[in-house]
Amino acid sequence: MRRAARKDANHNPLYNVFFTLLAGHVTDTSAFGDGMGDLFCSFGNYCCVVEIKRDEKATYTAAQVRFQAKHATVYFRVENQAQ
C-alpha cells in the first residue's frame, strides 16, 4: 500500500505563484505517485509537469527519474520563486 506523499515546505508558496501566473491552470499532482511531478500546469496549447524540490541538493526518486526520462521536454524542476 502506498503511503501519503510528502510535500516540501516550499510546495504551497510555489503552487500559489504558478496559480497566479497561469490564471488558475494548475493542478496539484503531488499525490499521484509513479514519479509524476508535483504540479501539472497548462496555458493555451502548452502544458508541463513541475517537480518542486526543497533546494539544489535534493535528489530525484527512482520513479521520478523514469517519469522524467519519458517526458523530458515537459518536465521542469523548481526550487524557488525566482526560477
Side-chain angles (χ1 to χ4, degrees):
M1 179 154 97
R2 188 174 181 275
R3 61 182 170 78
R6 183 179 48 90
K7 291 184 183 180
D8 293 313
N10 56 346
H11 181 95
N12 289 337
L14 290 173
Y15 171 87
N16 291 335
V17 169
F18 280 98
F19 190 87
T20 301
L21 290 174
L22 299 173
H25 296 259
V26 179
T27 300
D28 186 338
T29 56
S30 60
F32 282 22
D34 202 25
M36 175 71 173
D38 294 314
L39 305 176
F40 178 80
C41 304
S42 66
F43 198 78
N45 292 331
Y46 181 76
C47 67
C48 68
V49 175
V50 176
E51 176 60 38
I52 297 173
K53 292 294 186 186
R54 70 182 177 280
D55 58 32
E56 65 278 351
K57 295 177 184 176
T59 59
Y60 291 113
T61 66
Q64 289 169 337
V65 170
R66 286 190 302 274
F67 188 93
Q68 183 179 13
K70 292 178 187 176
H71 308 284
T73 59
V74 296
Y75 196 93
F76 297 94
R77 177 185 175 124
V78 176
E79 298 153 4
N80 58 57
Q81 292 182 15
Q83 292 176 318

